[in-house]
Amino acid sequence: MGKRLMKGNEAAVHGALMGGCTHFFGYPITPASEIAQAAAFYFTSAGRVFMQAESEVSVINMLYGAASAGARVMTASSGPGIALMGEGLSYLAGARLPSVVIDMQRAGPGLGNIWPEQSDYNMVIKGGGHGNYSNLVLAPSSAQEMFDFTRKAFTLADQYRMTVFILSDAYIGQMMEPVEISGPVLHGTRKDWAVYGDAASRPNLISSIYMNPPLQRKHNELLQDLYRQLEREQVDYQDIQTEDADLVFIAYGISARICLSTVHALREKGVKVGLMRPKTLFPFPKERIRELAEQGKTLAVVELSSGMMADDVELHVRGRTTVLRYLTMGGETPTVQELIANVERDLMVRSGGLSNV
Amino acid sequence: MNHVEICKDECKGCGVCVETCPRDCLMIGDEINAIGYQHVVFVGMGRCTACGMCYRVCPEPGALTVMADVKEV
Amino acid sequence: MSERTEVRFSKAKAFYDTFERKGSGDKVTHYCPGCGHGTIQKLIADCIDELEIQDKTVFLSPVGCSVFSYYYYDTGNIQCSHGRAPAVATGVRRTLPEAVIISYQGDGDLAGIGMTEIVHAANRGENITVIFVNNAIYGMTGGQMAPTTPMGQKTPTSPFGREVLRDGRPMGMAELIASLSAPVYVERCSVATAKDVLKARKVILKSLQNQVDKLGFSFIEILSPCPTNWGMDPVESRVWMQEQLAVLFPLGVYKDVTTHLVAVDPGKFHSPMDDDKLRELLRGASEVPVQRSSPLPHTQLIKVAGFGGQGVLSAGELLATCGMSEGIQVSWLPSYGPEMRGGSANVSVILSEDDIGSPLVDHPNVFIAMNGPSLDAFEDAVAPGGLILVNSAIVTRKVSRTDVRVVYIPATELARQEGLLSAANVVMVTAYLYITKAFSIETLRRCIPLVLRKKAYLNQNLALVEKVLDHCVRTAGSAGSDESDGSAGSENG
């Protein structure tokens, strides 16, 4: 197949259909409404289920019901909506139901505005709801990855019986780029734990209740084992010119795209910089961060938040190297020129350039 | 003969069946059962019509079983 | 009188023989002595047996005393969060057209926290059965006040009694649900007396039969005793129900339209097309064939800006599509949000031989100004040596920068002459390609049909391209030359 020019939002819906998703439950919110709109058209046209719910709370519970019945399910929203889904996400994790949720991040707190931030990081990476649980979190930075990641998300969700988040942002969703719709349709198969309303599945129970504390403890430990398994099997990142770099940007989503331009521009000026772009935020590429730190590279976290991912980077750096924070909030994005100026200033300070002034 | 079989360790002694029975076939006994209640006992041999009212109002799934005469042909 | 007897009433087959999920070998419920839940759940189990639907049944137990229903029912079981069972049921219903779905909810759950979910599931007419157990308090958490608690009733959270100015009045859910158009069967019954219980059994049976017959949404409210939290003995509690609760919440049929209904089609929501057809659907009409004409002179950082309705975003899409069709890298990023629905719009397009990093164009080397405010907004941001194309049919002023190349095109006027007032965007893109030679005009002609939404105007658009080329050639001394003083370009219009 050739390529089509499409928005990240539309690419996600294409990825969902090619990933075997049969049920989309949605609720309008800028900047994720286009996903629901595209799903309303494509899911319905493809004979699959699209439904607009009465609230995000209902959305996540419809996902819970359809996933309980063995379907491949998804929704898409933005920060305020994801926050409302918190309890349901916790239930999905507790009951070990596979689902896919896209978060097109916008600026907060509160109503905030509709331009991009990456300030849902803590909410999504650390769970979002109550209890000891995590989601598998993928971070696309192009329309093609919106397609690719969404397509594979359903298989991952089934494989690990958990929620897979696509943590994206308003720009990655709004941006049009060429997208190749390729590969076979990945259909789900019958699940031995699901409730199908038939004789074979009659013994099955979907529940997150363990009234016996030792059993609840065991369930929690099983979840934690699952997350450790994810760290062994699913960590993914992209290294761009990190080999000889003195400074390595760490960024995802739209921030990574801006960093990529900055790397190109600084390299032209002879400044050795690179980019490490996590494609999975949970599991986090902490080994790679440790390696970069041990190699003595300065790390610069570029994100549209108060430093939520930077905190995680520092956790794995453990003081081995300097972690710079180039943070922007409020729906604004840093320009390439600003990042260049930051790097030139900070590298000079670190090499002692300013101490002689 | 029509009667009610009482699974005594499944009875919580609430007395709703006693109150309901139109023929006073049931009463709360003196014995305390395995789950700590004074359970119901059947005292209606000859009066019971196997109407099933006691079974219907009883909140426990298996505490009461109503046995009815087999109609001989 | 016979010597031999047979079982007439005994534990339903829809219950597990022993309740292993509750505890090894357990045979009793977790309900308090005299609890209405036990009686009601027996009725449901009995009806499942009678209708022979055990294998098809999916029992939903949201939070409340009945949250552990899955201990007892030998059916498919889904435990749900507080109040959300109707939404969960909706998800199940849209997945399993043949399942019999029972949403078993208490009054705090359904009438309090879950009001939104129940009303909307009812209003959609989901083919499910809702059993609403109204005992006028929150049972599981210790008897607190519920939306259904009678006036004056003392509870742990209304220690001086429910008071109208603070707490409002008790809600009649059967009345509320019956006021919607979609539900097919709404009845309120009770388990206070043996007669009530027998009636309740008939009502439950009917509500399940409705679902089996695919008639739609059935809502059964059942008044139920909670002796423990009411502080009464089980027999007293049943008297209180008759004297107080059934007066507040009158029993009876609130709605029943089942007699003149036909079944809803269970397949109407879900009949997936095969993979080949899906691929065909996704391929759509807009797949872009790649055909290379010439290498791009340098990365084009393009900003197009103007009024909403001037085709600003489409101009960008056309440029990006041309780039794609040349096999180079492209990105398109619109301004979006509330300002799109009124005033101005702008789009950033990047065309590059290399991978594109940031899709944001802060300093364009090509700026297409469709109107005056856009020129004001972005003129200063244009990179030195860049190109500004001005829609001189609308923009009355000249560009004041002297370090950029400027070309004036009376775009709106040229479009109007061709009968396509809204195609000023095509004029500007054509002029841009003519001037920069970024791609061949043939590429443009090939891509217009891919982007054009109103296919009926294709020929007029293609004719407009020729007209613009003609205009550019006629004004070649200015439009095609390398002016940099801001005064060059076509003065036409």
Side-chain angles (χ1 to χ4, degrees), chain A residues 1-7 13-15 17-18 22-23 25 30-31 41-42 45-55 57-59 61-71 73 87-88 91 114-116 147 170-172 174-179 181 183-185 187 195-199 201-211 254 256-261 264 333-337, chain C residues 13 16 21 54-58 63 67-68 70-71 73-82 84-92 94-96 98-100 113 116-118 120-121 124 126 140 269-273 275-276 278-289 313 316-318 320-321 324 328-339 341 354-360 362-363:
Chain A
M1 277 195 215
K3 292 184 174 182
R4 281 183 60 192
L5 186 66
M6 64 172 76
K7 287 189 174 187
V13 172
H14 284 61
L17 289 165
M18 294 294 283
T22 56
H23 289 66
F25 298 98
T30 307
F41 176 79
Y42 282 107
S45 301
R48 302 191 192 182
V49 177
F50 169 85
M51 238 193 91
Q52 181 170 326
E54 57 271 19
S55 71
V57 174
S58 291
V59 161
N61 282 284
M62 288 177 186
L63 255 67
Y64 184 95
S68 296
V73 300
E87 183 201 31
Y91 267 72
I114 57 175
W115 290 279
F147 172 83
Y171 277 160
I172 297 297
Q174 294 292 324
M175 177 172 59
M176 276 208 284
E177 288 184 311
V179 175
I181 311 295
V185 183
H187 292 288
V195 172
Y196 290 99
D198 62 14
S201 67
R202 205 177 85 197
N204 291 347
L205 164 67
I206 305 297
S207 171
S208 58
I209 304 182
Y210 296 89
M211 286 306 283
I254 188 63
R257 295 290 295 261
I258 298 168
C259 286
L260 181 61
S261 290
H264 290 157
T333 43
T335 64
V336 172
Q337 288 71 19
Chain C
K13 289 201 299 296
Y16 289 112
R21 285 181 178 140
Q54 186 176 8
D55 285 341
K56 293 165 71 177
T57 297
V58 177
V63 173
V67 72
F68 301 118
Y70 60 83
Y71 287 168
Y73 285 106
D74 184 2
T75 62
N77 280 285
I78 300 174
Q79 179 266 316
C80 315
S81 61
H82 200 19
R84 317 303 175 204
V88 175
T90 301
V92 177
R94 302 306 167 106
T95 311
L96 307 175
E98 300 301 324
V100 175
I113 194 168
T116 304
E117 285 75 15
I118 188 61
H120 286 275
R124 285 190 300 267
E126 299 290 342
M140 187 180 227
F269 300 118
H270 196 199
S271 50
M273 58 169 52
D275 292 0
D276 287 340
L278 176 67
R279 269 191 285 265
E280 205 174 298
L281 171 73
L282 298 188
R283 192 155 46 231
S286 57
E287 193 171 301
V288 179
L313 301 185
E317 192 177 348
L318 184 54
T321 304
M324 261 185 87
I328 61 167
Q329 306 300 316
V330 306
S331 70
W332 174 101
L333 183 69
S335 60
Y336 63 92
E339 85 280 13
R341 288 185 275 275
D354 304 316
D355 284 349
I356 296 168
S358 174
L360 294 146
D362 302 310
H363 299 289

Side-chain angles (χ1 to χ4, degrees), chain A residues 8-14 16 21 23-40 43 49-53 55-60 63 73-85 89 99-106 120 124 146 150 154 163-169 173:
Chain A
N9 285 337
E10 198 187 349
V13 172
H14 284 61
C21 178
H23 289 66
F24 188 110
F25 298 98
Y27 188 82
I29 183 170
T30 307
S33 300
E34 283 177 344
I35 301 180
Q37 290 165 200
F43 272 65
V49 177
F50 169 85
M51 238 193 91
Q52 181 170 326
S55 71
E56 285 95 345
V57 174
S58 291
V59 161
I60 202 71
L63 255 67
V73 300
M74 78 174 296
T75 189
S77 189
S78 190
I82 302 291
L84 271 175
M85 294 181 195
L89 288 163
S99 66
V100 175
V101 180
I102 300 180
D103 180 1
M104 304 308 295
Q105 296 176 88
R106 57 187 263 179
D120 293 350
V124 170
M146 285 297 291
T150 310
F154 297 91
T163 296
V164 176
F165 257 92
I166 311 290
L167 187 63
S168 192
D169 57 69

Side-chain angles (χ1 to χ4, degrees), chain C residues 118 121-122 125-128 130 177 182-186 215-219:
Chain C
I118 188 61
E126 299 290 342
N127 184 38
I128 61 174
V130 175
I177 297 298
V184 299
Y185 179 46
V186 180
L215 296 184
F217 186 86
S218 295
F219 182 92

Side-chain angles (χ1 to χ4, degrees), chain C residues 285-294 318 321-328 433 439-452 455 458 462 465-466:
Chain C
S286 57
E287 193 171 301
V288 179
V290 173
Q291 198 176 323
R292 196 66 197 258
S293 58
S294 58
L318 184 54
T321 304
C322 287
M324 261 185 87
S325 112
E326 292 272 342
I328 61 167
L433 289 182
F439 314 119
S440 71
I441 298 298
E442 194 43 48
T443 298
L444 175 65
R445 292 191 188 103
R446 204 149 45 83
C447 289
I448 284 177
L450 300 175
V451 175
L452 195 67
K455 304 298 178 196
L458 177 59
L462 292 175
V465 169
E466 303 312 317

